């Protein structure tokens, strides 16, 4: 066998191991020699050899044999002089010293504004906040991982940064690494390409606290997921704290392996609920306070903050943006900003945020309320535990959205519109007889319209 013939044989492995694995693990293998039935491949690191051997060894052997090569075993070796020099991890700005804030180490830098001091706590986020506080004390690892999830702009990133700041303030020697799942993948791919997997692994396995933001990003990215899983397990085994965030619950992330989902659920999973009016107003007041130095001369007329809190209800980021724009406007006109000016100045934002409730939101709320899975709410099962909440969700969809009955049916697992009619009628009927159902409906409606 030659390196060329290996080149042909290995192509056949693409189908077997998938393109990702192929590019990451098989392609970098260099055939070295065949002696006494042992085929030896050069690999950049010992780790990589182990990995390939454990995960793909059998496949490689089988393919070599079916190509007629007299191989009974495969082996890996790291060529003494062929090894690329060890490099600092990609994009790391400066050589690391133990005292350097470790959040810089492998991740993104932290936003100074995202601390616990500036985080406004309200009903929708109090659990997430309490859990984050607990982790930030850094005393004992009580739940691992802490998994924070919730819609866009509800404060997940803010809380994670706050944890990192707090930990660093309390224990400067701690290696706290914060990064997005996207950055994790980027670094992983780069490490593979540069044959720096050993460094990559060492880096991520030597941290004290690992925080990965927006992990939904790695769903469906097989080799990154795999690596993430191993990093995760290695750290949990060492009793190191892990904090993760995503835009939805672990079970709802499509394309995430089951074993990963169950590990993610083995810690504490808390969600940040959509903001309510009080929280939004609190956040606005806090921001006004926070920026009061910068915008000293600006006055907002009575009712402006209340108006914003009422009208911009989806996303705190948008809310903040609106306030910033008002400030910018105010510093131009140099006098108190009236409610009318507010409406003019923010016309485009306000138009966009005219609140539209979606069927998906209703489904989520209802499944949360009844403590059942979204998939069961939408799915085919007909038992009462699912069927009743399903009818309630259909009823609310009819009441609160402009969707037609067939459209609603489609969003409930492709059901017929007659099924929707039946469900809606059933709930209309029950509403007057069953006070529990009437109460549930009222509660759900209010929370959806909040
Ligand atoms: P996510 O990561 O959940 O998408 P972020 O953490 O980026 O959301 O929050 C978006 C913006 O809203 C940030 O500027 C953040 O400071 C602000 N924000 C969100 N929730 C709160 C809160 N409870 N108190 C103060 N600011 C908040
Ligand atoms: Mg975020």
């Amino acid at each position: 066998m030659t390196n060329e013939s290996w080149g042909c044989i290995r192509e056949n492995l693409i189908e077997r191991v998938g393109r990702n694995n192929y590019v990451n693990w098989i392609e970098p293998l260099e055939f070295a020699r065949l002696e006494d039935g042992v085929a030896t491949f050069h690999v950049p690191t010992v780790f990589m050899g182990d990995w390939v051997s454990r995960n793909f060894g059998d496949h490689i052997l089988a393919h070599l044999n079916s190509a007629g090569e007299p191989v009974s075993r495969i082996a890996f070796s790291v060529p003494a002089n062929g090894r690329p020099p060890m490099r600092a991890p990609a994009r790391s700005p400066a050589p690391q010293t133990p005292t350097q804030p470790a959040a810089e180490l492998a991740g993104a830098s932290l936003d100074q504004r995202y601390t616990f001091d500036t985080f406004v706590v309200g009903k929708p986020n109090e659990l997430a906040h309490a859990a984050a506080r607990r982790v930030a004390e850094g005393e004992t690892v009580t739940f691992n991982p802490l998994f924070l999830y919730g819609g866009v702009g509800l404060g997940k990133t803010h809380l994670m940064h706050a944890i990192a700041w707090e930990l660093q303030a309390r224990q400067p020697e701690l290696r706290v690494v914060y990064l997005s799942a996207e950055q994790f993948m980027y670094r992983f791919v780069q490490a593979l390409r540069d044959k720096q997997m050993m460094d990559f692994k060492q880096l991520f396995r030597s941290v004290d606290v690992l925080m990965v933001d927006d992990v939904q990003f790695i769903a469906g990215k097989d080799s990154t997921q795999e690596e993430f899983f191993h990093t995760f397990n290695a750290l949990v085994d060492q009793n190191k704290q892990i904090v993760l965030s995503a835009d939805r619950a672990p079970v709802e992330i499509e394309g995430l392996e089951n074993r990963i989902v169950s590990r993610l659920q083995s810690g504490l999973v808390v969600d940040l609920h959509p903001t309510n009016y009080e929280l939004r107003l609190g956040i606005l007041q806090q921001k006004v306070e926070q920026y009061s130095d910068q915008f000293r001369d600006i006055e907002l007329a009575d009712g402006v903050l209340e108006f914003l809190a009422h009208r911009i209800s989806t996303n705190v980021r948008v809310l903040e943006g609106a306030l910033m724009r008002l400030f910018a406007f105010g510093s131009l006109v140099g006098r108190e900003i009236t409610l009318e000016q507010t409406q003019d100045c923010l016309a485009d934002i306000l138009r966009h945020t005219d609140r539209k409730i979606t069927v998906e939101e209703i489904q989520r709320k209802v499944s949360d309320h009844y403590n059942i899975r979204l998939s069961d709410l939408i799915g085919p099962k007909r038992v009462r535990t699912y069927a009743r909440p399903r009818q309630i969700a259909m009823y609310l969809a009819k009441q609160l959205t402009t969707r037609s009955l067939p459209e609603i049916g489609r969003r409930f697992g492709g059901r017929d519109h007659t099924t929707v009619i039946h469900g809606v009628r059933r709930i209309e009927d029950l509403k007057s007889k069953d006070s529990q159902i009437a109460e549930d409906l009222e509660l759900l409606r209010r929370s959806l319209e909040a």
Side-chain angles (χ1 to χ4, degrees):
M1 185 164 88
T2 61
N3 199 30
E4 279 70 51
S5 61
W6 159 242
C8 297
I9 296 167
R10 72 173 189 201
E11 298 260 299
N12 297 322
L13 278 154
I14 298 182
E15 221 172 300
R16 181 85 239 169
V17 304
R19 173 148 293 277
N20 265 345
N21 282 326
Y22 178 80
V23 172
N24 294 334
W25 303 107
I26 307 294
E27 232 171 24
L29 303 179
E30 215 170 279
F31 173 71
R33 61 185 171 275
L34 176 60
E35 273 168 19
D36 302 328
V38 180
T40 303
F41 294 87
H42 280 163
V43 283
T45 62
V46 175
F47 164 77
M48 185 162 171
D50 282 354
W51 180 272
V52 173
S53 166
R54 251 186 302 136
N55 292 281
F56 310 113
D58 293 346
H59 297 322
I60 295 175
L61 189 61
H63 275 73
L64 289 173
N65 290 155
S66 65
E69 300 290 346
V71 180
S72 55
R73 195 161 71 78
I74 53 175
F76 298 91
S77 80
V78 181
N81 48 9
R83 185 160 183 202
M86 292 284 253
R87 269 198 285 139
R91 267 166 87 189
S92 158
Q96 302 298 324
T97 58
T99 50
Q100 183 173 0
E104 284 281 318
L105 181 69
S109 51
L110 300 171
D111 192 315
Q112 302 217 338
R113 294 165 306 171
Y114 294 173
T115 61
F116 281 120
D117 284 347
T118 58
F119 191 83
V120 181
V121 185
K123 256 247 149 313
N125 61 22
E126 65 184 358
L127 264 179
H129 173 260
R133 277 276 189 197
R134 169 66 66 80
V135 168
E137 285 168 12
E139 305 279 287
T140 49
V141 176
T142 33
F143 29 77
N144 215 4
L146 168 61
F147 190 99
L148 300 169
Y149 77 94
V152 190
L154 296 181
K156 302 180 294 291
T157 299
H158 189 137
L159 275 181
M160 291 177 98
H161 286 210
I163 294 172
W165 285 123
E166 183 78 15
L167 282 169
Q168 278 179 10
R170 285 172 185 247
Q171 303 174 58
E173 74 288 352
L174 223 51
R175 285 154 69 91
V176 180
V177 168
Y178 164 87
L179 80 175
S180 67
E182 194 175 359
Q183 287 165 325
F184 181 86
M185 182 182 90
Y186 175 81
R187 284 172 178 284
F188 171 65
V189 170
Q190 196 159 48
L192 285 172
R193 199 185 56 212
D194 299 347
K195 309 200 169 33
Q196 301 280 326
M197 273 312 292
M198 274 296 267
D199 297 354
F200 178 90
K201 294 202 167 261
Q202 264 157 18
L203 186 71
F204 280 100
R205 276 154 213 207
S206 63
V207 306
D208 295 307
V209 179
L210 178 65
M211 301 203 255
V212 183
D213 209 347
D214 291 318
V215 293
Q216 75 276 355
F217 181 84
I218 61 163
K221 314 223 164 53
D222 292 346
S223 52
T224 304
Q225 239 185 81
E226 181 82 27
E227 182 55 33
F228 174 75
F229 184 65
H230 290 293
T231 306
F232 182 97
N233 287 338
L235 289 173
V236 170
D237 285 347
Q238 297 174 59
N239 205 25
K240 305 290 191 190
Q241 181 73 54
I242 296 174
V243 183
L244 305 170
S245 85
D247 64 356
R248 62 205 95 157
V251 281
E252 288 171 20
I253 303 178
E254 259 173 64
L256 202 60
E257 282 182 50
N258 287 336
R259 55 180 185 157
I260 298 187
V261 171
S262 64
R263 293 255 27 189
L264 296 184
Q265 288 174 319
S266 64
L268 179 67
V269 179
V270 267
D271 62 337
L272 291 120
H273 296 273
T275 57
N276 56 19
Y277 173 79
E278 289 80 15
L279 178 60
R280 291 194 292 274
L281 188 60
I283 291 172
L284 285 170
Q285 285 163 343
Q286 189 270 329
K287 301 282 167 195
V288 169
E289 177 87 0
Q290 191 179 343
Y291 292 106
S292 61
D293 278 352
Q294 227 169 310
F295 299 100
R296 205 166 299 140
D297 317 321
I298 295 170
E299 289 285 321
L300 300 176
D302 282 348
V304 166
L305 292 186
E306 287 78 3
F307 171 78
L308 293 181
H310 181 67
R311 287 294 300 277
I312 304 179
S313 55
T314 36
N315 180 326
V316 181
R317 200 170 294 139
V318 176
L319 193 64
E320 264 182 351
L323 186 65
M324 287 301 130
R325 183 162 351 148
L326 270 192
F327 280 162
F329 174 74
S331 62
L332 285 178
V333 298
R335 56 184 142 76
E336 191 184 72
I337 303 170
T338 65
L339 194 54
E340 204 174 18
Q341 285 168 328
T342 302
Q343 284 167 345
D344 278 352
C345 173
L346 302 177
D348 56 332
I349 298 182
L350 295 170
R351 220 181 2 258
H352 272 108
T353 57
D354 268 347
R355 183 108 169 82
K356 282 206 189 66
I357 297 170
T358 65
V359 177
E360 288 70 27
E361 253 176 284
I362 293 173
Q363 292 172 334
R364 233 178 107 150
K365 268 266 159 33
V366 171
S367 52
D368 278 356
H369 182 82
Y370 292 104
N371 230 332
I372 62 176
R373 291 193 180 168
L374 194 56
S375 53
D376 286 326
L377 184 84
I378 298 167
K381 292 186 198 143
R382 290 207 200 161
V383 285
R384 172 77 69 86
T385 6
Y386 305 137
R388 188 67 81 228
R390 188 179 300 140
Q391 290 174 331
I392 287 185
M394 287 175 174
Y395 172 86
L396 288 168
K398 183 76 198 84
Q399 296 283 312
L400 302 176
T401 76
T402 54
R403 296 286 176 197
S404 66
L405 294 170
E407 281 175 322
I408 294 174
R410 265 202 294 286
R411 286 175 170 71
F412 281 84
R415 287 180 161 80
D416 195 72
H417 74 282
T418 52
T419 312
V420 182
I421 296 179
H422 173 77
V424 171
R425 293 220 177 112
R426 185 92 191 97
I427 296 304
E428 270 166 358
D429 185 37
L430 281 172
K431 202 169 66 154
S432 50
K433 296 182 189 148
D434 183 331
S435 66
Q436 182 61 54
I437 289 205
E439 206 173 290
D440 284 357
L441 283 173
E442 181 56 21
L443 207 77
L444 284 162
R445 192 185 56 74
R446 246 189 290 149
S447 115
L448 282 160
E449 284 177 343

